Amino acid sequence: MHLYIHIPFCQSKCHYCSFTSLNKKNYEKAYFKALLEDLKFQFDFFKLSKNSLNTLFIGGGTPSVIEAKFYEELFIFLAPYLNKNSENTIEANPNSANLEWLKNMKEFGINRISFGAQSFHSKKLEFLGRTHTQKELFESVENAKKSGFKNINIDLIYDTKLDDKKMLDFELLHLKKIKKLLTHISAYHLSIEKNTAFANFAHYKKNAPRLMKYFIGQIENLGFKQYEISNFGRVCKHNLAYWQGKDYIGCGLSAVGFLKNQRFYTTKNLKTYIANPIFREVENLSLKELHLERLFLGFRSKVGVSEKILNPTQLQKAKELVNCKKLEFKNNRFYNPNFLISDELALYLEPS
């Protein structure tokens, strides 16, 4: 089984961010108390046994803005459920994950750290609404290494209006300086989302496929092999579980869980969650919806799509795509060699 925990608190809201993120305002104690109640209920609902958690992912928000002491009881509860080889990830920001906090997380059992870097360039960091500096980013990665982390990721954002070849080369030059400390890179092209500071500024996204392809190729040249549209390097087992359509538990504000053909949503209101953390809105997914998800997720990652799930018409279309080298076929599965066209491939096989 796989577990996602959402920590909704942030120091400030990034301009592109559509995730639930709030100022702390002394809600930490009440939130973590509710979170424990949520976890206990969900573990019973999913019939979770000891040593059965294969991955844990604590995301946000910004988990590193919360002092380590608030996590202690949480990890005491989780410890018996995590198997000895579990991948345990926590997200952090460079300006809030100090050496002491990182050491505490390592002691709690976290073995993978993911830093929200987004850029090395001061102008681009300001444009995105980030509050850390390039220096703080380098220091945080070095401190993670000092703390004993051997699995370190950084997130980057590209395809913004500031991104030309010169800017991308700047990012790559600085990425190269710390590449030996990293095992993974997530590179997301900017998405303009509703209810964000960027919502009414579609031109902030560049939409430059050639530059996107260039950046992806250069990241691979640094030794980080692409295995999903936005991910490179050592495979994140937690995210892989999503792409494979496996069941997972979601706890915390705005968290999502999945079991068989149902998706479970917690509330997005902090006070409502604290008052009733076990509440879930349930979405029942049809076979067609589940099937379409398999296509989208399979083509945007190294998971691929099994020929067994395709109907005769889809199978014929998939074979045509193999003939024109848009897909590859091996071991009874279809694989997409160009993740940038993954959505188009899925929609071609299953039009609305």
Side-chain angles (χ1 to χ4, degrees):
M1 184 59 74
H2 308 273
L3 171 65
Y4 175 80
I5 295 175
H6 191 73
I7 307 297
F9 306 111
C10 282
Q11 288 176 322
S12 61
K13 186 82 168 177
C14 297
H15 298 161
Y16 55 86
C17 181
S18 62
F19 294 116
T20 300
S21 57
L22 309 160
N23 290 322
K24 291 188 291 184
K25 295 181 180 176
N26 300 316
Y27 280 111
E28 301 99 307
K29 188 174 181 179
Y31 183 77
F32 275 80
K33 182 181 178 183
L35 190 56
L36 268 176
E37 184 183 341
D38 190 0
L39 284 161
K40 289 172 183 177
F41 184 88
Q42 291 301 309
F43 281 20
D44 286 341
F45 178 80
F46 277 78
K47 297 181 172 56
L48 203 67
S49 58
K50 299 296 172 70
N51 302 309
S52 62
L53 276 179
N54 296 314
T55 71
L56 162 68
F57 197 107
I58 302 176
T62 311
S64 56
V65 301
I66 302 298
E67 294 176 64
K69 65 181 181 181
F70 290 104
Y71 287 99
E72 189 168 0
E73 193 174 352
L74 182 71
F75 282 106
I76 289 171
F77 171 75
L78 291 174
Y81 294 94
L82 295 165
N83 70 48
K84 63 179 182 178
N85 296 315
S86 62
E87 175 195 85
N88 310 321
T89 303
I90 195 165
E91 291 183 332
N93 272 1
N95 56 337
S96 56
N98 58 39
L99 182 60
E100 182 183 1
W101 187 87
L102 289 165
K103 286 181 176 179
N104 283 323
M105 291 302 114
K106 191 70 173 63
E107 289 170 4
F108 287 149
I110 293 293
N111 52 30
R112 184 177 184 271
I113 190 91
S114 180
F115 288 109
Q118 315 316 350
S119 178
F120 294 95
H121 197 285
S122 58
K123 187 178 179 181
K124 189 169 164 185
L125 287 168
E126 183 181 358
F127 168 73
L128 293 169
R130 303 295 292 172
T131 56
H132 68 267
T133 63
Q134 181 193 116
K135 181 182 177 184
E136 287 172 326
L137 171 55
F138 283 134
E139 286 177 350
S140 62
V141 173
E142 289 168 1
N143 282 338
K145 203 71 175 178
K146 287 178 186 176
S147 303
F149 284 98
K150 296 177 181 178
N151 199 353
I152 303 173
N153 169 67
I154 67 167
D155 291 347
L156 295 172
I157 289 179
Y158 68 108
D159 199 38
T160 75
K161 70 172 188 175
L162 299 181
D163 285 304
D164 52 19
K165 189 172 180 295
K166 185 178 179 181
M167 175 65 82
L168 294 180
D169 284 340
F170 179 91
E171 304 282 36
L172 292 161
L173 175 66
H174 289 79
L175 189 56
K176 191 174 182 180
K177 292 178 181 178
I178 56 171
K179 72 170 189 174
K180 290 183 179 179
L181 301 177
L182 305 175
T183 52
H184 191 279
I185 295 164
S186 294
Y188 302 99
H189 55 88
L190 179 65
S191 179
I192 305 295
E193 303 286 352
K194 294 179 181 178
N195 303 316
T196 69
F198 282 175
N200 297 318
F201 300 93
H203 65 285
Y204 282 5
K205 178 175 172 60
K206 193 145 200 171
N207 286 312
R210 286 186 182 179
L211 284 174
M212 293 164 73
K213 194 171 183 179
Y214 171 76
F215 196 48
I216 288 169
Q218 293 303 307
I219 292 174
E220 287 203 304
N221 287 344
L222 290 177
F224 299 89
K225 183 172 177 56
Q226 186 183 30
Y227 66 92
E228 193 263 351
I229 191 168
S230 304
N231 289 281
F232 306 76
R234 185 189 298 180
V235 174
C236 173
K237 295 177 183 177
H238 185 84
N239 287 338
L240 187 64
Y242 292 154
W243 305 325
Q244 291 173 329
K246 293 185 177 179
D247 297 333
Y248 56 89
I249 301 170
C251 291
L253 190 70
S254 295
V256 181
F258 178 76
L259 180 64
K260 295 179 182 176
N261 67 331
Q262 291 185 315
R263 199 167 276 132
F264 307 93
Y265 300 89
T266 65
T267 179
K268 294 184 178 182
N269 181 278
L270 180 62
K271 290 183 179 179
T272 302
Y273 177 77
I274 288 172
N276 184 14
I278 66 174
F279 169 79
R280 293 296 188 275
E281 183 180 332
V282 181
E283 178 189 13
N284 292 300
L285 299 169
S286 67
L287 289 175
K288 184 176 180 179
E289 288 170 327
L290 288 168
H291 181 75
L292 187 57
E293 281 193 7
R294 296 291 177 274
L295 296 182
F296 274 105
L297 297 172
F299 285 145
R300 66 173 287 165
S301 69
K302 74 168 197 173
V303 170
V305 173
S306 171
E307 66 173 342
K308 293 179 182 178
I309 72 165
L310 301 179
N311 63 38
T313 301
Q314 291 172 329
L315 189 58
Q316 181 59 38
K317 286 183 175 181
K319 289 178 179 178
E320 290 171 2
L321 290 170
V322 171
N323 291 335
C324 61
K325 303 190 184 311
K326 297 291 186 182
L327 287 179
E328 296 173 353
F329 183 72
K330 53 187 175 182
N331 300 323
N332 302 315
R333 297 185 78 84
F334 293 94
Y335 296 94
N336 173 21
N338 179 10
F339 297 141
L340 290 175
I341 61 168
S342 56
D343 290 357
E344 288 85 347
L345 292 173
L347 291 172
Y348 175 71
L349 289 193
E350 185 158 322
S352 58

